[in-house]
Amino acid sequence: MARLPTLAVLGATGAVGTVMCELLTGRRNVWGEIRLLASERSVGRKVRCRGEELTVQALTEDALDGVDVAMFDVPDEVARHWAPIAVRRGAIVVDNSAAFRMDRDVPLVVPEINPEQVANRPRGIVASANCTTLTMIIAVAPLHDEYGLRELVLASYQAVSGAGQAGADTLHDQLAKVAGDRMLGARTGDVRQAVGDDLGPFPAPLALNVVPWAGSLTDGGWSSEEMKLRDESRKILGMPDLKISATCVRVPVLTGHSVAAHAVFATEIDVEGAREVLRNAPGVIVVDDPAAGEFPMPIDAVGTDPSWVGRIRRTLDDPRALDFFVTGDNLRKGAALNIVQVAELLAEDLTRP
Amino acid sequence: MARLPTLAVLGATGAVGTVMCELLTGRRNVWGEIRLLASERSVGRKVRCRGEELTVQALTEDALDGVDVAMFDVPDEVARHWAPIAVRRGAIVVDNSAAFRMDRDVPLVVPEINPEQVANRPRGIVASANCTTLTMIIAVAPLHDEYGLRELVLASYQAVSGAGQAGADTLHDQLAKVAGDRMLGARTGDVRQAVGDDLGPFPAPLALNVVPWAGSLTDGGWSSEEMKLRDESRKILGMPDLKISATCVRVPVLTGHSVAAHAVFATEIDVEGAREVLRNAPGVIVVDDPAAGEFPMPIDAVGTDPSWVGRIRRTLDDPRALDFFVTGDNLRKGAALNIVQVAELLAEDLTRP
């Protein structure tokens, strides 16, 4: 390919799409034309990307012609419809929906962990993982390489922007309703009453609350979000039988997913060794000095690329287990950044002489 | 004892003490005189308790004379000083601090679990457990009785009022500062800047954040709060070698501690059986219908007595393990209610003919 590849962004005006455009502006440029495509609602909007002011165009079959790589951040059913069309028109699709993640013929790629898998794409589609999975797996994978992972027990603290711009708007609206009333939060149901019926994309109020639910109901009472953590982690690590148990909980944080992880390994853990493994791991920064008030937190990790890992400690009652806490920006490494990184791997592949 | 026993409340004007007085008003009355004692700062304040308006008196040695049962909600060092004095003056002390919980000669009593232990008090002191431990252990103990507990992995979602009234005030102040600015929470450090330097009793801002730290630093990077969960659970269950690993996290909730629990048992779990065990357990209510939006949450559990248990599911990769989520009012069962219940057991004992 003599020219730089053409990139399309589907869903460019959403919470993740906005960050994709920001990232394209800040990173080393590997792209020729960048084309922003969206549903009718957003057509005509101007978005600044890579120093240019781009106009959002309607997503049509013809609009995909000449696209080399298409980054999708759209609902599952939109991805299911449009990804094969984009592939037929000649694009490689990097998809952030759950539509293809568990497809045997679609690799699930985290460039820090399994970059070689981008080449293995019989359907012309590469999937990007769920935001909570990505935040956590970046820290777990290098530990697995060193110690041999046997089991994961996870509890999440997920930000509202994981449910898109509507999630962020909902929390802002609810905070405006509860802030200032110092009596709220002390009587059963009083926050519900103050917040009213507008719950946005959530099953319950988020202001002054935590909601132990994300996604839809699957067998045995597990949420779809919890199943994604299990299934996607297994696929990324290439460990189809890995024992994983997760509880996914939404918290009143704007952006930044956190996970409390208990990881059991095949061999005994030396905690200084584990800390060193994490310090050297791509995409990870270690923030672990509780005496100095340093631990991973959403208000610090938001707007940054890496997964922040801290509270690293060997399990007291099991020398083969490690407990730690990890926080990452769910819109960046948890979504936009991973997609952009995968797209860049593909661009490299396409422009290789 | 011909008369009804005299009760003293130490720390009656604090976050927990206020709830103690509320509970004494609402519950079956087993007390004669009720005497409210506090530090100089609170002396003279009027507090409504059991329909009477009581005046807070100064805590002096003489003020303890004639007291049969003294409920303490005061800092560790105050308890350490005053509990032996109260005992010498003839009182039995029910203490909510951490000063005596791990003392071999002080029972750690949860009336739903080990009520018989109140009789075993060589020092004249009975301890009440940490708020997070209490919330969780109420659900774990009946499952242990049925299935034989082998291991617990816990992650907490702890409310700010666990750090007393100062904690609640801090969150209210911070919410007032961040509510209304819809741009906040999207850039690293912007919430820190908006909140400013007043962090109250916490090491970092709580508004729009989660803080993976509670208490002080102990060996191996564990927080004192995490160690309490381990040590106190072992003592209450009478299992000194139980494997427990906990990560304690503070969240922007006023009142209501939650715990995501992964419990491994000796025998295979039948999830309907486990649900039935919990339905019949004292102090527990089961709220577990995700399809109907029913799961345990702080905004519902606050102001109520029981631990709310839901998200009950058998671990997919381990038939002997159960995952569930539990929420309870940290000021009620997590503190004031447990203390009042223990005091009532003692009153019963004292007035038995």
Side-chain angles (χ1 to χ4, degrees), chain B residues 67-146:
Chain B
V67 170
D68 297 297
V69 177
M71 307 196 298
F72 276 49
D73 185 68
V74 293
D76 293 3
E77 63 280 10
V78 178
R80 214 170 275 121
H81 177 77
W82 283 99
I85 295 171
V87 171
R88 277 202 305 274
R89 295 272 167 159
I92 307 166
V93 170
V94 186
D95 180 40
N96 193 37
S97 83
F100 303 102
R101 285 179 190 151
M102 299 314 296
D103 188 317
R104 281 161 182 271
D105 293 328
V106 174
L108 187 58
V109 178
V110 184
E112 292 85 345
I113 300 173
N114 59 352
E116 73 289 351
Q117 288 295 319
V118 286
N120 174 28
R121 46 170 201 272
R123 296 193 59 180
I125 302 169
V126 179
S128 187
N130 168 271
C131 43
T132 313
T133 307
L134 279 166
T135 300
M136 173 275 302
I137 204 78
I138 285 284
V140 166
L143 293 169
H144 165 56
D145 287 345
E146 187 71 20

Side-chain angles (χ1 to χ4, degrees), chain B residues 245-261:
Chain B
S245 208
T247 299
C248 287
V249 180
R250 194 78 68 177
V251 295
V253 164
L254 249 304
T255 299
H257 284 0
S258 303
V259 176

Side-chain angles (χ1 to χ4, degrees), chain A:
Chain A
M1 184 182 278
R3 57 181 178 81
L4 288 174
T6 294
L7 175 72
V9 182
L10 271 76
T13 58
V16 171
T18 304
V19 178
M20 283 181 185
C21 292
E22 268 179 48
L23 290 170
L24 289 171
T25 304
R27 293 173 71 85
R28 190 172 60 89
N29 183 40
V30 299
W31 305 106
E33 183 191 344
I34 294 181
R35 208 177 286 176
L36 308 187
L37 304 175
S39 59
E40 282 302 329
R41 200 160 41 94
S42 298
V43 169
R45 278 178 60 179
K46 311 276 188 196
V47 174
R48 286 203 71 82
C49 185
R50 207 180 46 173
E52 307 160 49
E53 189 170 73
L54 302 178
T55 303
V56 176
Q57 302 172 44
L59 172 58
T60 62
E61 301 208 8
D62 290 348
L64 291 163
D65 271 346
V67 169
D68 297 297
V69 177
M71 306 196 299
F72 276 49
D73 185 67
V74 294
D76 293 3
E77 62 279 10
V78 177
R80 214 171 274 122
H81 178 76
W82 282 98
I85 295 172
V87 171
R88 276 202 304 277
R89 295 272 169 160
I92 307 166
V93 170
V94 185
D95 180 41
N96 193 37
S97 82
F100 303 102
R101 286 179 191 150
M102 300 313 297
D103 188 320
R104 281 161 183 269
D105 292 328
V106 173
L108 187 57
V109 177
V110 184
E112 292 86 347
I113 302 173
N114 60 351
E116 73 289 351
Q117 288 293 319
V118 286
N120 174 27
R121 48 172 199 269
R123 295 193 60 181
I125 301 170
V126 179
S128 187
N130 170 272
C131 42
T132 313
T133 307
L134 278 167
T135 299
M136 173 274 301
I137 205 78
I138 284 284
V140 167
L143 294 168
H144 165 54
D145 287 345
E146 187 70 21
Y147 302 109
L149 188 63
R150 287 294 171 268
E151 185 176 2
L152 276 177
V153 180
L154 309 169
S156 77
Y157 303 71
Q158 296 180 224
V160 294
S161 65
Q165 190 55 48
D169 290 342
T170 298
L171 179 59
H172 278 303
D173 290 346
Q174 292 181 355
L175 286 180
K177 286 177 184 167
V178 304
D181 185 345
R182 303 181 81 91
M183 302 306 292
L184 274 182
R187 290 284 171 275
T188 179
D190 62 357
V191 171
R192 282 186 185 273
Q193 206 170 351
V195 162
D197 290 337
D198 188 5
L199 303 177
F202 307 115
L206 258 302
L208 299 175
N209 201 24
V210 299
V211 180
W213 190 257
S216 55
L217 184 62
T218 75
D219 288 351
W222 295 85
S223 72
S224 55
E225 190 82 358
E226 289 157 355
M227 294 306 292
K228 286 177 188 175
L229 259 174
R230 178 165 171 265
D231 296 340
E232 297 178 17
S233 298
R234 287 171 157 194
K235 183 166 176 176
I236 293 165
L237 297 175
M239 305 177 76
D241 299 320
L242 180 65
K243 289 172 76 176
I244 303 192
S245 207
T247 299
C248 287
V249 180
R250 193 78 68 177
V251 295
V253 164
L254 250 302
T255 299
H257 285 0
S258 304
V259 176
H262 174 81
V264 185
F265 296 93
T267 56
E268 199 161 313
I269 302 291
D270 154 47
V271 74
E272 271 316 313
R275 201 170 272 122
E276 197 55 29
V277 165
L278 288 166
R279 269 198 211 99
N280 294 325
V284 168
I285 67 171
V286 172
V287 184
D288 194 15
D289 186 355
E294 289 184 9
F295 13 74
M297 291 183 289
I299 59 167
D300 297 323
V302 61
T304 74
D305 284 352
S307 282
W308 295 43
V309 184
R311 302 296 328 279
I312 303 162
R313 54 222 195 275
R314 191 167 85 163
T315 305
L316 289 162
D317 305 314
D318 186 347
R320 298 170 309 126
L322 201 65
D323 291 83
F324 54 95
F325 195 78
V326 48
T327 305
D329 185 323
N330 50 296
L331 301 178
R332 289 173 83 99
K333 186 60 200 179
L337 176 61
N338 199 67
I339 302 162
V340 168
Q341 286 173 311
V342 170
E344 287 169 354
L345 285 180
L346 294 167
E348 206 173 287
D349 201 35
L350 290 171
T351 52
R352 192 167 287 136

Side-chain angles (χ1 to χ4, degrees), chain B residues 40 61 66 73-74 84 123 176 233 238 250 268 299 312 317:
Chain B
E40 283 303 330
E61 300 209 10
D73 185 68
V74 293
R123 296 193 59 180
S233 298
R250 194 78 68 177
E268 198 161 315
I299 59 167
I312 304 161
D317 305 314

Side-chain angles (χ1 to χ4, degrees), chain B residues 197-210:
Chain B
D197 289 337
D198 188 7
L199 303 176
F202 307 114
L206 256 303
L208 299 175
N209 201 23
V210 299

